[in-house]
Amino acid sequence: MIFQSITQHLPILQVVLPLIAAPLCVLLRRPALSWLFALAVTWASFAISIALFIQLEHVGTIVYELGGWPAPWGIEYRIGTTSAIVLVVVSGIGSVVMPFAKASVTAEIEPARHYLFYTCYLLCLCGLLGVVATGDAFNLFVFLEISSLSSYVLIGMGRDRRALTAAFQYLIVGTIGATSIVIGIGLLYLVTGSLNMADIATRLPEPGTNRTVLVAFAFLGLGAALKLALFPLHVWLPNVYTYAPSAVTAFLAATATKVGVYILLRFIFTVFGAGFAFTAMPLDTMLMALAVAAMFAASAIAIFENNVKRMLAYSSVAQIGYMVLGIGFATVGGVAAGLIHLFNHALMKGGLFMALGCIFLRAGSVRREAMAGIARTMPWTMAAFVLGGLSLIGVPLTVGFISKLYLIRAAFEAGLWPFGVLVVLSSLLAVAYVWRVVETAYFREPSTEAARATEAPLSMLLPTWVLIGACVYFGIDAELTVDTAFRAATSLLGAQP
Amino acid sequence: MTIEIHPGLYNYAIVVMLMMAGLYIVITRGNLVKKIVGLNVFQASVFVLYITMGKIVGGTAPILEAGIEVYSNPLPHVLILTAIVVGVATTALGLALVVRIREAYGTIEEDEIQRQDEAL
């Protein structure tokens, strides 16, 4: 009886649990205690997202009315296959990074501020989950700002003073992005009189007849593009990923931009409809052009980057290009490939940034010269880095291969084969930047930092290997991810004829 | 093509002006506090936009009263109350970061900060 009533309320529990936990975390104060509490909460929210994912197998779409108010008036949470995937990614990464965070945060942040760190971490998790779960446009904005504001704080806690300027720059750009989204939502409300996304979709006038809708579309597109760091709106990202504390970089790199991609998907497909975005508007061409630019320009910058964390940040911009490219194809295969890569990239970038966190803990630097010969003193960490790197390139038996396979296949199916070739060519750039790190770490004489380093503690190594292991596991047995992604893509594109 | 501004669109014209002025300040000013002020102006334009769309010609305050048929739409006002709170939080956090930046760099001018970072 009680169990049944709990399963009914899972969509709201998913969001409310970390929201309520955050202020409680402030009260705990003691570093170890607040960490344990945050750990329990993130694991519970991961369990909830898994339960939701399983529930979806039977029902298709879970609709939850907040406070029992029916849809156009009350706020509605709507969880479909796409949102379920992103929920699992966000809460899953959140719960894997937590055990890692203990040692990493102890080394990088003063103990007096630990409880605030975990509070903001929970708030950020709550915001990201809320954006994904909600079916209400304004609610989406509020959760987006909850996650953004808490992530500015998390980034600002970095040890380097440049973390502060990175956080400030992200605050400016992020606020402009979120405000653009709120302008778009306002204009849509002006036209349709509704804030419920499914409801807005049915009330929108015929494409091309209303200029306000066009302006709303432009603002929402700009806001989402800023949040997901679509080239050339990515300028905030490299500094943020480089100077934020290691645990924060691992968490944000694997989740925040993915939620940005989800916002884009949500507005393109459920609100405006593929017909409006791709036929009446040339969004597909724009997305494909910017995606290709990201794939090449960002990868090329990554090759010449000496700070490995920054190199991976640029690689993230390039990898986001692959996701956006898939969406730009505007076919079921393309969107599915984008979603597959969304999941896979979260695994590999999470794992890679955690491996770098281990190196930063022991060597005190993630510059390439400091990492010379470090594979001798930190073999397990570097092995994880190599596997993650192979996955970035797209070597068979890793998740990166699955992503690129489906992306290239989608390109050919859509009759856009040159893009398939471009994906392969840009992967060669990834070979170059990954190899530079591997070569330095394995074949050079150890630097003083590397010689001093010892293998990272198990509490950090284990979570890193969980994600890297998942990279290999889902690279071999991709049935679950591919099936779910195709189901999600079909429902996204099928919702609008 | 002639541009004619309908008197009913006065508020929207102000919205556009505020929005562009705010964005201009954010982009051109090197002083971090001024950037925050620009961001505030930018956000304020959105507040005006939302408040304006709640206005219904001839409508009164949305309080149930006998003999009154037309009310203003209270929903956008409530929404923007939330957005104002978010804006206040953003400003507070932004200024807090400026304080920390000033402690770390001794300046809040963007080019000076850049120069110090490059000197490293």
Side-chain angles (χ1 to χ4, degrees), chain A residues 17 20 27 36 40 43 93 106 126 138 192 215 218 242 260 270 275 316 327 381 388 405 408 410 418 427 453 460 472:
Chain A
L17 184 72
I20 294 177
L27 299 177
L36 201 65
W43 284 16
I93 297 289
T106 308
C126 156
F138 199 81
T192 61
V215 178
T242 311
T270 46
S316 274
I327 299 168
T381 309
L405 178 71
I408 293 168
S427 302
M460 288 170 79
V472 177

Side-chain angles (χ1 to χ4, degrees), chain A residues 5 12 19 40 214 229 232 283-284 338 369 413-414 433 435 452 457 484:
Chain A
S5 60
I12 189 67
L19 183 65
L214 294 186
L283 186 67
D284 47 349
E369 42 290 14
E413 277 170 7
Y433 61 71
W435 172 249
R452 256 189 301 130
T484 323

Side-chain angles (χ1 to χ4, degrees), chain A residues 113 138 142 145 149 152-153 161-162 164-165 167-168 171-172 175-176 179 182-183 185-186 189-190 195, chain B residues 19 26 32 36 39 42-43 46 50 53 73 75-76 79 82 86 90 93 98 100-101 104-105 113 116-117:
Chain A
R113 287 197 292 173
F138 199 81
V142 174
E145 281 296 60
L149 285 168
Y152 307 146
V153 178
R161 66 177 179 177
R162 276 169 290 185
L164 294 169
T165 42
F168 187 83
L171 180 132
I172 298 283
T175 307
I176 290 173
T179 311
V182 103
I183 294 168
I185 293 167
Y189 178 75
L190 204 54
L195 287 169
Chain B
M19 200 180 280
V26 173
L32 300 186
I36 296 280
L39 206 60
F42 182 64
Q43 287 180 316
V46 185
Y50 268 75
M53 68 173 96
N73 184 355
L75 183 68
L79 292 179
T82 315
V86 171
T90 311
L93 181 58
V98 173
R100 291 281 311 279
I101 287 173
Y105 288 85
I113 292 169
Q116 288 191 26
D117 277 343

Side-chain angles (χ1 to χ4, degrees), chain A residues 92-132:
Chain A
I93 297 289
S95 60
V96 176
V97 170
M98 253 343 260
F100 172 90
K102 180 95 163 75
S104 178
V105 166
T106 308
E108 292 178 35
I109 295 168
E110 56 196 89
R113 287 197 292 173
H114 280 190
Y115 71 102
L116 293 173
F117 175 90
Y118 294 118
T119 305
C120 287
Y121 187 91
L122 288 175
L123 274 179
C124 190
L125 183 71
C126 156
L128 294 171
L129 292 171
V131 168
V132 181

